[in-house]
Amino acid sequence: MSARSTRNIRSDARDNRERLARVARETFAAKGLEVAMREIARRAGLGIATVYRHYPTREDLIAAAFTEQVTACSAAMAAAVEDPDPWRGLTTVVHEICGRQALDRGFNATLLGSESTRTLFAAERAANARSLELLVARARQAKVVRADLTVGDVGIVLRAASAVSASSRDPLTDVRRLAALLLRGIRAEPAEPLRE
């Protein structure tokens, strides 16, 4: 086999790998992470053997599909922590995550650590959780959020956005509205204690 034909095979293999990751990302975004590998192969116009040659497990394919988004989310969290305005930092993170959840069902499951992604991106989820704790602590210290606000409360906001995006006909609009309402509820002005 000539060097030129070897390069073409490598180029084809690289193109197939990239196509599979792109198609998986689009399919997972629209349908969630439970889509069959065979369906992704069909949408990519490739055989199932090609999928498994490049991505031996579903987790490998999910990792390839979402690495870029997880990295971007982590960068947004880090930037929010660095924001000198604690309220802006916290609200930016809530809007960023809620917006991503509305547009991408697969990212939503990846972000929240669904059953199929429990071990994937665990380090990034842990780092994001620490960043969120810091954001909430800074906001409480600056007295821009309710004194009784916890990280768990912010988690409820994010899970609520996830539920709305899964059942809405216009998920981005509905999730933005929900985020705005919930953020207003955690702002420092309301003095009434939260009901259990």
Side-chain angles (χ1 to χ4, degrees), residues 8-154:
N8 287 342
I9 290 171
R10 287 184 188 141
S11 174
D12 288 347
R14 184 186 67 243
D15 291 347
N16 286 344
R17 184 174 178 81
E18 290 171 0
R19 181 183 325 150
L20 282 167
R22 179 179 42 77
V23 168
R25 186 170 39 253
E26 293 165 358
T27 305
F28 290 147
K31 297 183 169 261
L33 295 182
E34 302 313 315
V35 176
M37 298 282 272
R38 191 169 299 282
E39 171 69 6
I40 291 167
R42 185 190 66 72
R43 287 173 177 241
L46 299 167
I48 190 68
T50 302
V51 175
Y52 284 111
R53 185 168 40 256
H54 291 290
Y55 301 105
T57 68
R58 172 178 288 284
E59 290 75 20
D60 293 332
L61 185 56
I62 292 170
F66 290 106
T67 295
E68 192 175 304
Q69 286 92 325
V70 169
T71 300
C73 184
S74 295
M77 292 290 285
V81 168
E82 295 299 319
D83 191 322
D85 181 332
W87 176 250
R88 186 174 55 218
L90 181 60
T91 59
T92 297
V93 161
V94 169
H95 285 297
E96 169 86 13
I97 293 174
C98 288
R100 287 179 182 273
Q101 288 177 313
L103 298 173
D104 192 330
R105 290 176 58 192
F107 176 76
N108 189 27
T110 301
L111 178 73
L112 297 176
S114 70
E115 192 60 41
S116 57
T117 64
R118 191 164 309 281
T119 58
L120 290 176
F121 306 116
E124 291 86 347
R125 273 196 302 280
N128 289 344
R130 287 190 298 275
S131 293
L132 190 57
E133 287 172 9
L134 184 55
L135 285 166
V136 170
R138 285 180 57 223
R140 285 182 63 179
Q141 185 176 12
K143 299 184 183 336
V144 294
V145 294
R146 305 175 65 103
D148 56 353
L149 181 72
T150 67
V151 173
D153 296 332
V154 178

